[in-house]
Amino acid sequence: MKVHIYSMLRFFVVMTFAGHLLAQNSTGNLRGQVSDPSGAVVPGAVVSASSPSSQPSSVQTDSVGNYVFTGLAPGDYTISVNAKGFAVSTAKVRVSAGQDLHSNFALKIATKHEQVVVEEGADRPSPVDTNAEKNASALVIAGKALDALSDDPDQLEAEILAMSGPAVGPNGGRLYIDGFTGARLPPKASIREIRINQNPFAPDKDKLGYGRVEVTSKGGTSQYHGQVRFAANDSIFNSMNPFLTSAPSYQSNMSSVSVSGPAGKKMSFFVSTERRNINENSVVGALTLDSNLNPLSVNQAVPNPKTLTIINPRVDYQISSSNNLTARYQFSSTSEENGGIAELDLASEAMNLHSTIHEFLVTDAHVFSASTEDENGFDFKRMSSSQTVLSFAPEIQVQGSFNGGGNAAGNSLSTANYYEIFNNLSISHGTHGLKFGGRVRIAQNSSFSTENFDGVFAFDSLKALQITERGLQQGLTPTQIREAGGGASQFLISDGNPLISSNLFDLGVYAQDDWRIRSNVNILYGLRFETQNAIHDHADFAPRLGFAWAPGGGKQGSPKTVIRGGFGLFYDRFTPTFVLTANRLNGITQREFVVNQPDFYPNIPPSSVLENLQTLPTIYRIGAQLTSPYTIQTGIGVEQQLWKNGTVSVVYLNSRGIHQFLSRNVNAPLPGTYNPDDPSSGVRPLGDIGNIFEFRSDGFFKQNQLIANYNLRFGPKLTLFGYYTLGYANSTTAGTLNFPSNQYDVKADYGRAVFDIRHRFSMGGSLLLPYAVRLSPFILATSGHPFNITTGEDLNGDSIFNDRPAFATDLSRPSVVFTRFGAFDTNPMPGQTIIPARLGEGTPYFTLNMRVSKVFALGARRRPARSSGEASGNNSERYSLTLAAAARNLLNNVNFTHFVGQLTSPLFGQPTALAGQPFSSPGSNRQITVMAQFAF
């Protein structure tokens, strides 16, 4: 690993100083400072440069009012400066080759008849442009558009990931905070803007652009400003969970404080704190047995209190006129009581959870020369978490009915140190925008876990458990119970050393060129190289290509239409979780035993006895042929400017996932050799040494999507943004821990992918009503999620309960089950067709979240404050008081989560819980929260 780290550091050093050698003098630069009539600097002003021969470009002044344009082609430019509360200021300059031109601006206060131009963002969509980073399919959420989203960090994260749309493949969207991966979302008060799906084919990004969310935190301000916010929710405001017969009482509250201001001539700060006390409930919707061993529906609300504390300070320091340093620290602490309960889990499964995160992030931006800029970043994160189960009894799993007893997850204590370093070097050379850089990540994990140490009994049906319990009461022998149709189908237990560790390292480097061939034609191309340890694949090359063409653009000003497309390979990494699993359950550190059709329920024999039974030792390992999975994505789309502040785009995406992760039992009985009535039967290719669960990359998927985005501003009072997607996806795997139903034929599971959501629609916005009342709606709707239909039994001896039935051909057989999805035979005969994977589909989802707010101005008027991101509700008064109410799932539409897919369950085809965030909360169908905020 040291060799990799030293190589990476050498690379960063070379890239940093290469700019001095590669800098060219064929272009010029323009820089300066923006101030107000008193001479105070103006941060956050938008400075635009335009010329007859090139597309306009814009930058934003930093915390001390400075702006800079690099790589300007020689010629005459019109420079305009826009800042809220000030009149527009313009000037004409001439840029010569090799020149470093300075031009300062002193703004005047805007009068009532003067137009004020606001910063581009969701409040004002940017015009269509061939620039690679200005694709109209991207969504920028800032300012008042951000108000439409939840104030709760967890809910906010769920909403923005949902708004990122149908992320390609099985891994969903991914968050980047201030350029770093894996960081925790800061409080909403600390967020300047959110960018979704920007520059999807860029080589400098390791993940797919579609589904990528980039969050930028706020910087300091030139004057002291702050806000105090308090929000509360009570069960009396909420609608009841439909799975409950009576409404439990609960309350939640959230408070936050943020302050920003100067800390000297060259330094500014921003600090926010947040505290949440969430006293909701986990809801159990299961089917179990009562004291008389009759089926009993359990609909129970279990108190599930949670607390979250976040402290988030940030400092911006201008080392010199060309060097800015930003440092941010975030501390978060979460605690939860009675966690681990959901859907079919009974209250006895509860556990207490606690976690803390310390994160320190530093970025340094340096302008080395007229055409060379460099950005470096470092992130250190220390995470610790623990879970304590409330019962150490063996867990009882009844397929599709309930999970009871103790929680098999056991007690655990884990710590992790995470390091991330990135470097991006940008060089302007004529019409080329060159960029080089890389990123290295190191994850050091230590985990203490007693998972499965208390044992797990599995039953394939509630009826089998009922027969077993009655037989035990009657004193029947295990053989008699099993002949009557009872008996557990499987027992699993682990023992050994609970402490294990892992070290994971990955590196990615890239080179790219953003080439403006003509004023209306832009090409972005480059190559990315990635590698990691822990697997045998160490060389992953990812070419990327993107283009944009504006028909007629450049002849008559800004283009109205842009045709944009691209192609790229995007790799996924093997994560620390699975490295820990392979290191832990390797048969040496820990041993796992599987007993098919055990005859000792409910007692557990000691390990010495288990070893002499017909047990199946089970080990996990990383496959020798495991390679990094990648996605080949091709896209083409059209972006259209509707009017000055309105854009729409339509994009077609074709994606192919190669070498996708899954798990396989490589020593499962060969097809046709296992008899379910004889657990000792079956011919295993590696001999009778038990199960070998291997992480492999044998899966694949195919996906087609048509995505329509819109970002519209109907005057100063109404803004709407969102997307609609039509998608089709098929896959052979549902993720790394997914086992195929036939261990020797992965293609037998080719069918609808778990992420095959046919229709998706979202809409957010802001509407200003009379009396300055603002409505901020957020709508999200999707078609139903597919789910697998299984027999609930292990018919092939691979120790996995995922066997699917066949389409029934003889409806008179007792093994036939009639459902709304069709008639299925749970005991397939030779020649019958096995049903496709994920044949079932749940009900559609729809939610309307609404926020209504009113700002009351207090105190004498003043010049408005500006920063790298204004606080919500800031206005031209000295103080302001904002009163708001936010409703989640305002129309009280019932959105269900996963549906039971086991045919042996009386609950087959039924939902067992609410869908949760962002559609509703686990404890209530509709929630209404009231909020008050004081800002100065």
Side-chain angles (χ1 to χ4, degrees):
M1 179 180 293
K2 291 182 179 179
V3 175
H4 286 298
I5 296 175
Y6 294 152
S7 298
M8 179 274 302
L9 292 175
R10 287 198 300 270
F11 170 81
F12 287 153
V13 171
V14 171
M15 289 296 99
T16 299
F17 291 99
H20 295 290
L21 301 176
L22 297 177
Q24 302 294 323
N25 294 321
S26 60
T27 60
N29 302 289
L30 174 65
R31 67 183 72 243
Q33 189 177 64
V34 179
S35 60
D36 65 11
S38 68
V41 299
V42 180
V46 177
V47 185
S48 302
S50 61
S51 73
S53 60
S54 64
Q55 298 293 333
S57 60
S58 298
V59 297
Q60 193 176 28
T61 56
D62 61 19
S63 59
V64 290
N66 291 326
Y67 74 90
V68 60
F69 290 96
T70 60
L72 295 177
D76 294 325
Y77 287 83
T78 299
I79 310 300
S80 63
V81 182
N82 303 300
K84 189 175 181 180
F86 295 92
V88 177
S89 179
T90 61
K92 294 185 180 296
V93 298
R94 172 166 293 180
V95 177
S96 302
Q99 184 182 20
D100 196 7
L101 185 65
H102 288 257
S103 181
N104 296 330
F105 289 84
L107 304 182
K108 297 180 179 180
I109 301 296
T111 58
K112 291 185 178 180
H113 67 275
E114 290 175 320
Q115 180 182 7
V116 179
V117 181
V118 299
E119 177 185 354
E120 291 178 356
D123 292 326
R124 183 190 178 208
S126 59
V128 296
D129 195 323
T130 57
N131 188 303
E133 294 188 352
K134 293 187 177 181
N135 53 299
S137 58
L139 180 62
V140 181
I141 305 173
K144 294 179 175 61
L146 193 57
D147 289 341
L149 305 181
S150 174
D151 295 314
D152 181 285
D154 293 336
Q155 297 175 19
L156 176 61
E157 182 172 334
E159 288 175 353
I160 61 179
L161 288 175
M163 293 181 65
S164 67
V168 173
N171 298 316
R174 187 162 188 181
L175 280 173
Y176 292 78
I177 313 298
D178 290 332
F180 296 98
T181 56
R184 184 184 180 92
L185 188 70
K188 184 178 176 181
S190 302
I191 297 176
R192 187 186 80 185
E193 68 177 15
I194 301 170
R195 293 181 176 265
I196 300 174
N197 301 340
Q198 187 177 40
N199 200 2
F201 297 100
D204 63 335
K205 303 295 192 301
D206 60 340
K207 288 296 182 181
L208 291 159
Y210 295 100
R212 187 175 64 235
V213 179
E214 300 173 80
V215 178
T216 304
S217 63
K218 289 180 181 178
T221 54
S222 59
Q223 296 180 350
Y224 291 104
H225 301 285
Q227 65 179 33
V228 179
R229 178 182 300 183
F230 181 79
N233 169 262
D234 193 279
S235 57
I236 62 174
F237 298 145
N238 305 333
S239 64
M240 193 171 68
N241 186 306
F243 290 94
L244 298 175
T245 56
S246 61
S249 177
Y250 53 91
Q251 302 82 30
S252 299
N253 61 74
M254 179 180 70
S255 57
S256 65
V257 178
S258 63
V259 179
S260 64
K265 293 183 179 181
K266 294 186 176 183
M267 184 182 296
S268 61
F269 72 92
F270 182 96
V271 60
S272 65
T273 63
E274 183 170 284
R275 172 73 176 186
R276 286 188 297 159
N277 296 292
I278 302 175
N279 297 300
E280 288 193 347
N281 295 274
S282 295
V283 177
V284 178
L287 188 64
T288 183
L289 299 176
D290 63 15
S291 58
N292 295 319
L293 300 181
N294 295 317
L296 173 68
S297 294
V298 178
N299 301 102
Q300 181 183 10
V302 180
N304 182 214
K306 307 174 187 176
T307 61
L308 169 64
T309 303
I310 301 178
I311 303 174
N312 184 55
R314 166 175 164 159
V315 173
D316 296 270
Y317 179 68
Q318 186 173 27
I319 300 174
S320 66
S321 60
S322 60
N323 192 358
N324 289 285
L325 181 71
T326 297
R328 184 166 70 87
Y329 166 75
Q330 182 162 298
F331 167 81
S332 63
S333 175
T334 61
S335 296
E336 180 178 356
E337 296 180 17
N338 293 330
I341 301 175
E343 302 182 35
L344 301 179
D345 300 320
L346 302 183
S348 62
E349 296 272 294
M351 64 176 67
N352 294 335
L353 308 168
H354 180 73
S355 67
T356 59
I357 301 176
H358 298 269
E359 186 168 18
F360 182 66
L361 309 95
V362 179
T363 57
D364 177 65
H366 198 160
V367 179
F368 281 108
S369 67
S371 58
T372 305
E373 295 183 32
D374 187 67
E375 182 183 22
N376 297 277
F378 171 77
D379 176 21
F380 169 73
K381 182 161 47 183
R382 170 77 172 182
M383 299 175 289
S384 62
S385 61
S386 65
Q387 67 181 31
T388 305
V389 298
L390 304 185
S391 171
F392 295 99
E395 183 171 30
I396 300 174
Q397 298 177 353
V398 181
Q399 299 291 313
S401 293
F402 76 90
N403 300 315
N407 196 315
N411 291 342
S412 71
L413 176 65
S414 63
T415 59
N417 292 325
Y418 178 89
Y419 306 85
E420 181 173 343
I421 305 172
F422 72 78
N423 174 264
N424 297 307
L425 174 68
S426 302
I427 302 172
S428 299
H429 176 45
T431 58
H432 296 268
L434 305 175
K435 195 171 182 180
F436 308 90
R439 182 189 305 269
V440 63
R441 292 176 290 218
I442 301 172
Q444 299 172 333
N445 292 269
S446 176
S447 173
F448 177 96
S449 175
T450 60
E451 184 176 4
N452 294 327
F453 273 37
D454 298 318
V456 181
F457 287 98
F459 292 82
D460 56 26
S461 69
L462 187 65
K463 184 177 181 181
L465 176 64
Q466 183 185 51
I467 294 172
T468 303
E469 295 288 0
R470 286 179 175 171
L472 291 173
Q473 287 183 353
Q474 297 168 5
L476 300 181
T477 65
T479 301
Q480 291 172 322
I481 292 175
R482 195 164 298 280
E483 289 175 349
S489 54
Q490 186 184 91
F491 174 75
L492 180 149
I493 194 169
S494 298
D495 67 6
N497 184 0
L499 181 62
I500 197 67
S501 62
S502 71
N503 289 280
L504 205 60
F505 165 90
D506 74 269
L507 168 71
V509 295
Y510 71 91
Q512 71 181 45
D513 180 15
D514 190 357
W515 181 19
R516 186 173 289 274
I517 299 178
R518 300 175 58 184
S519 61
N520 65 333
V521 179
N522 199 88
I523 291 180
L524 176 71
Y525 63 95
L527 179 66
R528 187 176 183 89
F529 171 83
E530 295 180 0
T531 186
Q532 75 167 100
N533 67 336
I535 63 175
H536 307 284
D537 178 16
H538 298 299
D540 302 324
F541 292 91
R544 312 277 176 84
L545 172 66
F547 72 89
W549 169 50
K555 297 180 180 179
Q556 298 180 349
S558 300
K560 299 298 181 182
T561 304
V562 171
I563 299 174
R564 191 184 305 271
F567 166 87
L569 267 65
F570 300 84
Y571 284 88
D572 289 313
R573 307 260 61 92
F574 196 64
T575 62
T577 299
F578 306 118
V579 176
L580 283 171
T581 300
N583 290 346
R584 173 178 286 120
L585 297 173
N586 56 10
I588 300 174
T589 304
Q590 284 188 23
R591 301 179 302 170
E592 183 173 279
F593 298 100
V594 173
V595 182
N596 288 327
Q597 299 184 15
D599 60 5
F600 44 79
Y601 173 83
N603 302 308
I604 301 178
S607 298
S608 58
V609 175
L610 282 173
E611 291 175 353
N612 295 323
L613 297 176
Q614 287 184 337
T615 58
L616 292 171
T618 301
I619 68 170
Y620 283 77
R621 71 186 187 190
I622 298 173
Q625 303 302 317
L626 183 76
T627 60
S628 301
Y630 62 90
T631 300
I632 305 172
Q633 186 176 84
T634 306
I636 185 71
V638 178
E639 303 168 358
Q640 180 65 44
Q641 189 84 35
L642 296 182
W643 56 86
K644 183 178 180 180
N645 293 324
T647 62
V648 296
S649 68
V650 178
V651 178
Y652 166 72
L653 294 177
N654 177 273
S655 306
R656 295 290 182 269
I658 311 298
H659 298 311
Q660 298 299 297
F661 288 142
L662 52 76
S663 298
R664 292 177 68 176
N665 184 351
V666 296
N667 198 35
L670 294 172
T673 66
Y674 180 77
N675 180 4
D677 296 326
D678 181 6
S680 64
S681 63
V683 177
R684 297 177 180 267
L686 302 179
D688 293 329
I689 58 175
N691 297 318
I692 301 177
F693 291 166
E694 198 169 85
F695 295 120
R696 299 174 65 97
S697 50
D698 300 336
F700 65 91
F701 72 82
K702 298 179 180 180
Q703 187 174 19
N704 291 282
Q705 299 163 285
L706 187 67
I707 307 173
N709 289 270
Y710 58 94
N711 201 340
L712 313 172
R713 180 180 173 89
F714 301 94
K717 295 184 178 181
L718 175 62
T719 298
L720 295 176
F721 56 89
Y723 70 88
Y724 165 76
T725 296
L726 174 66
Y728 296 84
N730 289 293
S731 177
T732 60
T733 176
T736 307
L737 293 179
N738 176 84
F739 286 83
S741 59
N742 183 343
Q743 304 298 331
Y744 298 97
D745 184 8
V746 173
K747 293 182 180 179
D749 285 345
Y750 185 70
R752 289 189 64 182
V754 293
F755 50 89
D756 179 36
I757 313 300
R758 192 73 70 235
H759 303 281
R760 299 174 187 255
F761 172 79
S762 80
M763 184 185 73
S766 177
L767 172 63
L768 186 63
L769 300 177
Y771 304 102
V773 175
R774 184 170 297 278
L775 288 181
S776 301
F778 173 68
I779 295 175
L780 184 64
T782 75
S783 53
H785 292 238
F787 65 90
N788 221 8
I789 297 177
T790 65
T791 64
E793 301 179 68
D794 176 17
L795 301 176
N796 53 17
D798 60 5
S799 301
I800 309 298
F801 292 86
N802 64 352
D803 299 75
R804 298 192 303 277
F807 288 111
T809 55
D810 183 356
L811 301 183
S812 64
R813 296 189 73 199
S815 56
V816 173
V817 178
F818 297 90
T819 75
R820 60 188 175 93
F821 302 101
F824 305 125
D825 197 329
T826 59
N827 186 21
M829 297 182 296
Q832 283 186 308
T833 302
I834 303 298
I835 69 171
R838 294 167 286 279
L839 179 65
E841 180 176 307
T843 55
Y845 298 73
F846 175 85
T847 188
L848 168 61
N849 298 345
M850 182 71 72
R851 186 178 190 268
V852 56
S853 60
K854 165 72 176 178
V855 180
F856 297 90
L858 306 172
R861 296 181 65 85
R862 62 164 186 195
R863 179 172 61 83
R866 292 157 308 280
S867 69
S868 55
E870 287 191 355
S872 180
N874 231 5
N875 59 24
S876 58
E877 307 301 326
R878 185 170 298 278
Y879 307 103
S880 67
L881 175 65
T882 302
L883 300 180
R888 185 165 48 166
N889 195 14
L890 177 65
L891 302 182
N892 203 30
N893 184 66
V894 179
N895 298 292
F896 294 116
T897 188
H898 305 98
F899 286 63
V900 175
Q902 288 86 2
L903 286 169
T904 54
S905 170
L907 300 176
F908 172 76
Q910 300 180 34
T912 56
L914 293 177
Q917 300 174 3
F919 297 98
S920 58
S921 71
S924 58
N925 199 47
R926 177 179 58 211
Q927 271 193 349
I928 297 178
T929 302
V930 294
M931 185 269 287
Q933 173 184 291
F934 176 75
F936 64 90

